Amino acid sequence: MKAPIRVAVTGAAGNIGYALLFRIASGDCFGKDQPVILQLLEVTPSMSKLEGVVMELLDCAFPLLQGVEISDDPNVAFKGANQCFLVGSRPRGPGMERSDLLKVNGAIFTAQGKAINDNAAADVRVCVVGNPCNTNALIAMHSAPNIPADRFTAMTRLDQNRAASQLAAKLGKPVTSIKNLVVWGNHSPTMFADYLHATVDGVPVVDLIDAEWLSTTFIQTVAQRGKAIIDARGQSSAASAAGAAIDHMATWFHGTAPGEWASVAIPSQGWYGVPKGLMFSFPVTIKDGVFTVVEGLKHGAFAQGKIDITTRELEEERAAIADLLS
Ligand code: NAD
Ligand code: LMR
């Protein structure tokens, strides 16, 4: 039996938390042979709700779940943590953009970045889900100067999954037949769901689907999917967000399969002209926990224009919270 890993989840009593914890505990993320200890963080008023969630976790009698600890103190919740899902923050409601959450949620990620810096395990890895996730991840990263910057990521896997699902449905193919689909930039309506390199069973998607549909309906559907779900449900996506967080961390933990790319927001080293330090979604391959950006992809004027727009938005977000970047 492997030694257990410590998995911290913030906002554990929230909607995404409720869909996420049970999948981590059942082995869907880190493997069916990897025991886990869950370390759950909530705000004080939600601790009793969290206690109820813990009762349910225990009632599942998951063989891999070797412990559940709860706290309203980030210094406790991140103690020795190897894997961190930063979910806890306020979600947007109808009529709001994700960027409206910048100031509200920014302070949370300063405190949690510092607590991770001071308490987490040396091999800690962080996935930020709470919106606006790219810039929140940037804030957490800056608040943790003793941890290598490339351990901080933000989640654009939900956008990649949405895009793959749209293409698969359009083509009447299984979602697994879609490869090399990339989400560039910000988890916001400016993201670019780049179908131009995507293939289905090895055939370029652009050879099979009408260019007008791809460059308009497809891109807008993916970019606006979060809003569509809020409009329909009255609440933001939860089960699909949890599923994407599982995919994100599982791919980081186990690595990408040969020939497979994943979209992950990581601190830019200047790849594709994206300014250094921006938390930007790139296509990556992953081996032994290390990200390698897929380089050498050619962008025409259309794609470059889209990448420029999402880059500008991330620069504006960074400028808006500059005071939080110590
Ligand atoms: P929710 O309101 O149901 O749950 C959030 C939980 O976080 C609540 O229980 C709240 O008490 C807790 N919380 C708030 N501040 C906290 C803090 N400082 N420390 C610990 N816990 C704290 O919201 P949700 O639906 O679970 O969504 C959570 C976040 O995820 C939102 O910001 C949402 O916009 C975002 N989200 C991101 C994606 C993505 O693709 N990146 C997808 C869906 C949702
Ligand atoms: C999503 O994409 O579903 C989430 O980011 C929630 C939102 O505010 O759109």
Side-chain angles (χ1 to χ4, degrees):
M1 196 62 156
K2 292 182 177 174
I5 54 171
R6 293 184 172 273
V7 183
V9 181
T10 75
N15 283 311
I16 295 177
Y18 195 68
L20 180 62
L21 299 177
F22 298 84
R23 294 197 57 198
I24 298 171
S26 71
D28 280 358
C29 191
F30 301 110
K32 299 288 180 192
D33 59 349
Q34 177 58 67
V36 293
I37 296 170
L38 289 173
Q39 303 187 171
L40 310 179
L41 181 70
E42 257 299 342
V43 290
T44 313
S46 295
M47 289 304 283
S48 89
K49 185 175 177 195
L50 184 56
E51 282 167 17
V53 176
V54 172
M55 288 183 220
E56 285 207 74
L57 273 168
L58 299 179
D59 292 352
C60 289
F62 288 119
L64 293 171
L65 187 58
Q66 291 205 354
V68 187
E69 296 159 15
I70 65 171
S71 182
D72 56 2
D73 179 351
N75 290 307
V76 174
F78 292 121
K79 192 106 205 144
N82 308 103
Q83 309 280 335
C84 302
F85 293 79
L86 304 195
V87 179
S89 54
R90 189 175 142 195
R92 70 170 163 154
M96 293 171 81
E97 273 308 333
R98 296 182 186 106
S99 55
D100 295 332
L101 301 171
L102 259 181
K103 286 282 179 194
V104 193
N105 287 334
I108 296 176
F109 291 86
T110 313
Q112 293 185 357
K114 185 172 182 324
I116 290 169
N117 186 68
D118 296 347
N119 297 283
D123 66 351
V124 67
R125 295 176 184 174
V126 180
C127 169
V128 177
V129 176
N131 280 319
C133 61
N134 297 55
T135 298
N136 287 339
L138 186 76
I139 295 169
M141 181 189 95
H142 276 265
S143 306
N146 300 336
I147 295 178
D150 61 4
R151 306 288 185 73
F152 286 86
T153 64
M155 185 174 96
T156 51
R157 186 60 169 264
L158 180 55
D159 309 304
Q160 181 186 320
N161 288 349
R162 287 167 171 167
S165 172
Q166 291 294 320
L167 291 181
K170 180 78 172 171
L171 291 159
K173 293 280 189 177
V175 84
T176 47
S177 64
I178 311 286
K179 303 277 187 243
N180 298 0
L181 186 58
V182 186
V183 171
W184 299 90
N186 200 5
H187 174 64
S188 86
T190 67
M191 81 185 79
F192 176 40
D194 182 358
Y195 54 87
L196 291 156
H197 308 282
T199 59
V200 52
D201 295 330
V203 180
V205 158
V206 290
D207 291 350
L208 300 173
I209 304 180
D210 169 53
E212 173 71 13
W213 183 87
L214 286 167
S215 65
T216 56
T217 309
F218 166 72
I219 285 186
Q220 282 158 21
T221 301
V222 177
Q224 294 297 335
R225 190 67 159 186
K227 176 179 183 303
I229 290 168
I230 291 169
D231 290 347
R233 254 171 52 89
Q235 284 189 315
S236 69
S237 62
S240 55
I246 294 281
D247 291 344
H248 176 118
M249 287 304 248
T251 308
W252 196 354
F253 194 76
H254 301 292
T256 42
E260 183 191 328
W261 303 349
S263 301
V264 182
I266 55 175
S268 174
Q269 293 294 327
W271 302 290
Y272 292 98
V274 174
K276 215 168 168 200
L278 276 194
M279 197 61 75
F280 195 94
S281 179
F282 292 102
V284 299
T285 58
I286 308 172
K287 188 165 188 296
D288 300 329
V290 176
F291 298 109
T292 303
V293 170
V294 177
E295 295 199 72
L297 299 176
K298 299 275 178 272
H299 298 306
F302 174 76
Q304 192 57 54
K306 296 271 180 206
I307 289 171
D308 290 346
I309 290 169
T310 197
T311 302
R312 264 200 304 281
E313 183 181 52
L314 280 169
E315 289 183 297
E316 284 163 15
E317 286 188 17
R318 180 166 67 176
I321 50 81
D323 55 322
L324 298 180
L325 304 180
S326 49

